[in-house]
Amino acid sequence: MSYLFSFKGRFGRLQWWSVQLIIGVLLISFFAALGGSLSSLGEDAIAALAREQGLTFLLSFFVLFVFCCWINIAATVKRYHDRDKSGFWFLVVFIPFIGGIWQLVECGFLSGTGGGNSYGQRRELDVSFLDDPELRGDRPSRSMKAERNVEPPRAAAPAVARQSSGLTRPKPAGFGRRGL
């Protein structure tokens, strides 16, 4: 659970985008369920439901909103840590007009610092299991086929001396035909 709620550590771009996708799916599904349940009711029934269950709806929406905001802030702070910046850079989102764009570009598109920085080591995805041919299936990869089909080197052909007629032009020094 500390993976999503903690402000310590680093997140890569893929992890940050995954969190944004999860938050979006949560909020959209909440409103889709609400809209689906209210679409079959009439105006009078919706008004009666709002009087009876309005506080419950507002409370559940508030809890979901706080939950999603906390996860978003934690993921964004970790993403700024990956860029070797303080988590307070999250506050750039509150600059009107440009803050959200700035945060989207910086967190979503710019790469983090390689290796370690002042916020810890970069987590590398362990994809070593992809190198095992048995786990990939029985079809060998292109590189494995290339390794199997390597021919032994052939002996070089003897150099044949060219006779020159004396009418050849000297090759220009430099790049291209004109020596640019």
Side-chain angles (χ1 to χ4, degrees), residues 9 20 35 53 67 71 74-76:
Q20 303 310 310
Q53 301 292 328
F67 177 75
I71 291 174
T76 304

Side-chain angles (χ1 to χ4, degrees), residues 44 61 80 89-90 95 107 127 143 158:
D44 295 335
F61 176 72
Y80 277 117
W89 273 91
F90 171 80
I95 297 173
C107 291
V127 291
S143 63

Side-chain angles (χ1 to χ4, degrees), residues 10-21:
R10 296 171 63 176
F11 260 11
R13 283 179 290 194
L14 179 64
Q15 294 163 317
W16 187 80
W17 279 112
S18 300
V19 168
Q20 303 310 310
L21 180 69

Side-chain angles (χ1 to χ4, degrees), residues 110-167:
L110 299 179
S111 63
T113 57
N117 65 18
S118 55
Y119 296 100
Q121 288 293 326
R122 181 177 214 163
R123 285 190 206 165
E124 297 295 331
L125 294 176
D126 184 20
V127 291
S128 61
F129 65 91
L130 294 176
D131 293 333
D132 188 6
E134 292 181 17
L135 292 177
R136 281 190 304 227
D138 45 329
R139 291 183 1 191
S141 68
R142 290 183 188 174
S143 63
M144 290 177 68
K145 286 180 185 176
E147 288 173 7
R148 270 193 259 144
N149 295 332
V150 173
E151 295 181 16
R154 296 183 183 176
V160 178
R162 281 178 92 177
Q163 288 184 337
S164 111
S165 63
L167 299 175

Side-chain angles (χ1 to χ4, degrees), residues 57-69:
F57 167 74
L58 286 176
L59 185 62
S60 63
F61 176 72
F62 179 74
V63 167
L64 179 68
F65 182 74
V66 168
F67 177 75
C68 289
C69 281

Side-chain angles (χ1 to χ4, degrees), residues 9-64:
R10 296 171 63 176
F11 260 11
R13 283 179 290 194
L14 179 64
Q15 294 163 317
W16 187 80
W17 279 112
S18 300
V19 168
Q20 303 310 310
L21 180 69
I22 290 170
I23 290 171
V25 166
L26 277 173
L27 291 174
I28 288 172
S29 61
F30 178 79
F31 285 112
L34 177 67
S37 64
L38 294 180
S39 65
S40 63
L41 300 176
E43 255 183 65
D44 295 335
I46 291 175
L49 186 63
R51 282 190 300 270
E52 296 169 6
Q53 301 292 328
L55 185 61
T56 305
F57 167 74
L58 286 176
L59 185 62
S60 63
F61 176 72
F62 179 74
V63 167
L64 179 68

